[in-house]
Amino acid sequence: MFEKLLESPLSKKMDERAPFDDIVVSTRIRLARNCRNYPFSTMMTEQQAEQLIKETQHQLEGMKGFSFGRVDGEDALTRTALVEKHLISPALASHPRTALFISDDETISVMVNEEDHFRIQTLLPGLQAEEAFKIGKQVDQLISERFPLAFDDRLGYLTTCPSNVGTGLRASVMLHLPGLVLTNQIHGYIKRLRQLGFAIRGRYGEGSDAAGRMFQLSNQRTLGASEEMLITDYLFAADSLIEAEQEARKGLLATYQEELEDRLYRSYGILTSARLITAREATERLSDIRLADSLGLDVKVSPVLFHQLLVSIQTGFLQKQFGKQLTSRERDIERARLIRTTLAEQKNRDNTQGGFA
């Protein structure tokens, strides 16, 4: 089942253009839910965890357009690649006795036995929080019809971690923010957003860094407000960050055009010529040339191509394409070859269509 999910870096849905995708790579809505007749995950026995997987499989397997599979039975490389594609969380990849229920278009997934019994996730390209929430609630309804959920009339949904009690809702967007990073404004925005009750972290969430100037913005408040109110407040924060990034990019071009162009074209030259490149350097250089395209320079790297390459060059996904473990040097060689080939193909397409690269 999971091999099919890893045949391409992006699903057909994530391969589409979407609102604000020049800055927002993707939107994710996650709902944490627990069964009333099972202990929370920290108190579950191995037998109870296995029973929940079997019950979930029985209740959900066979639904048209969805598949169900065990995650814990997969090798480390497959689990890493699924995390890199953002189909599962790092926690699900590392926990024992875990499973995944996922739609064929990869838009909807239900992680079983992560921190909570169920983590319902909706993943869409660009800024589409309201649409992602609408889809997530449909899955939430499906789950609630099949399982008695842990719910308190005063507190709301009960979760393993107290910070998720209430709605159990986490909205997050993946943002590409080179303008705010290069103008040294990002730390000020991170501080202000945290004061307003939002979290801004690295690409893979808590504990990860912001390689490639990629950040995750998410809400921290889940209690004392409706889901709709939380989404509205979250969109206000996301919109303000998008507007700040737009202004930062304009300021860079107006004030440091020569220095900026030199940096961006150097990165393009390295990516189109390098024979070895690490994942970190490749991510930073790709960030540069994506910024170049957004500023109207003669480097064409669409938001979709940028996202495809970000996933394709990661350690796990890259090795899955070869079907085996590669040494660090072999990964650097194959990563450089993949980027050169992809950018050359893009250049040829642009030349055929009368564009520039």
Side-chain angles (χ1 to χ4, degrees):
M1 164 191 166
F2 297 125
E3 295 301 319
K4 184 177 180 180
L5 295 177
L6 298 175
E7 288 177 355
S8 60
L10 300 181
S11 66
K12 290 183 179 179
K13 187 66 177 178
M14 293 301 294
D15 235 347
E16 298 174 358
R17 295 299 306 267
F20 297 102
D21 63 1
D22 185 40
I23 294 172
V24 182
V25 176
S26 61
T27 298
R28 185 192 67 172
I29 294 292
R30 188 219 67 196
L31 297 169
R33 299 290 185 260
N34 287 281
C35 297
R36 192 168 62 236
N37 50 357
Y38 284 91
F40 286 141
S41 60
T42 52
M43 301 299 292
M44 291 178 78
T45 65
E46 293 183 9
Q47 292 77 14
Q48 288 170 326
E50 286 291 339
Q51 180 58 38
L52 179 58
I53 290 176
K54 290 178 181 178
E55 186 176 350
T56 305
Q57 184 173 8
H58 173 72
Q59 292 288 349
L60 302 181
E61 192 175 46
M63 291 185 61
K64 187 176 180 181
F66 287 83
S67 300
F68 190 91
R70 294 290 294 249
V71 175
D72 55 350
E74 296 293 333
D75 60 81
L77 203 57
T78 297
R79 284 181 274 124
T80 298
L82 289 170
V83 171
E84 291 168 349
K85 200 171 174 181
H86 293 281
L87 295 180
I88 66 172
S89 65
L92 194 79
S94 61
H95 287 183
R97 295 170 294 283
T98 54
L100 182 68
F101 178 67
I102 188 167
S103 62
D104 293 344
D105 65 1
E106 303 174 24
T107 298
I108 306 163
S109 61
V110 180
M111 291 177 274
V112 185
N113 284 340
E114 202 233 34
E115 182 178 88
D116 294 286
H117 297 153
F118 301 121
R119 286 289 177 91
I120 301 166
Q121 175 178 283
T122 308
L123 187 66
L124 294 175
L127 183 62
Q128 300 190 74
E130 291 175 324
E131 178 61 24
F133 173 65
K134 180 180 177 181
I135 296 170
K137 285 301 292 181
Q138 292 173 347
V139 182
D140 184 27
Q141 179 65 30
L142 182 149
I143 295 291
S144 66
E145 290 171 353
R146 290 160 172 77
F147 297 90
L149 298 181
F151 185 86
D152 180 85
D153 290 336
R154 183 172 61 90
L155 296 174
Y157 291 101
L158 304 180
T159 55
T160 301
C161 181
S163 65
N164 291 321
V165 168
T167 60
L169 169 70
R170 282 281 185 266
S172 67
V173 288
M174 184 76 66
L175 299 124
H176 181 221
L177 303 176
L180 292 175
V181 173
L182 294 175
T183 57
N184 296 315
Q185 298 181 68
I186 189 64
H187 296 296
Y189 276 95
I190 290 174
K191 182 178 180 180
R192 285 193 287 275
L193 285 164
R194 286 175 175 168
Q195 290 172 342
L196 292 171
F198 297 93
I200 184 163
R201 304 184 176 102
R203 188 176 173 200
Y204 295 106
E206 189 170 359
S208 63
D209 61 18
R213 301 125 192 169
M214 303 289 290
F215 297 85
Q216 275 195 44
L217 172 70
S218 61
N219 65 297
Q220 289 185 303
R221 179 189 180 193
T222 63
L223 184 64
S226 68
E227 294 164 328
E228 290 77 12
M229 185 179 295
L230 291 176
I231 293 291
T232 299
D233 290 346
Y234 177 77
L235 283 172
F236 179 81
D239 288 341
S240 65
L241 202 52
I242 291 168
E243 183 177 346
E245 173 63 20
Q246 291 170 335
E247 291 302 313
R249 292 184 187 188
K250 292 177 184 176
L252 275 172
L253 194 59
T255 308
Y256 301 104
Q257 181 171 345
E258 287 75 18
E259 292 87 346
L260 185 62
E261 288 182 348
D262 182 70
R263 176 193 184 107
L264 305 186
Y265 283 124
R266 283 175 184 271
S267 287
Y268 185 71
I270 288 171
L271 290 174
T272 54
S273 304
R275 263 48 187 174
L276 296 96
I277 193 166
T278 65
R280 172 168 286 277
E281 182 183 3
T283 302
E284 297 295 327
R285 300 291 182 186
L286 287 170
S287 171
D288 281 344
I289 65 173
R290 174 68 207 116
L291 176 60
D293 187 358
S294 73
L295 294 175
L297 303 183
D298 292 340
V299 176
K300 300 300 180 184
V301 181
S302 69
V304 170
L305 181 60
F306 176 58
H307 195 184
Q308 287 175 343
L309 283 170
L310 283 179
V311 177
S312 298
I313 65 172
Q314 299 307 310
T315 300
F317 197 90
L318 184 69
Q319 292 179 103
K320 282 298 294 183
Q321 304 314 298
F322 284 86
K324 63 176 183 179
Q325 295 276 355
L326 301 175
T327 66
S328 176
R329 181 174 181 274
E330 288 172 335
R331 293 197 299 270
D332 291 348
I333 291 172
E334 296 304 333
R335 184 179 294 113
R337 179 181 292 121
L338 170 65
I339 295 171
R340 290 198 317 273
T341 301
T342 303
L343 293 180
E345 290 172 350
Q346 177 66 52
K347 182 176 181 180
N348 290 335
R349 284 194 297 270
D350 290 338
N351 288 339
T352 301
Q353 296 168 7
F356 298 92

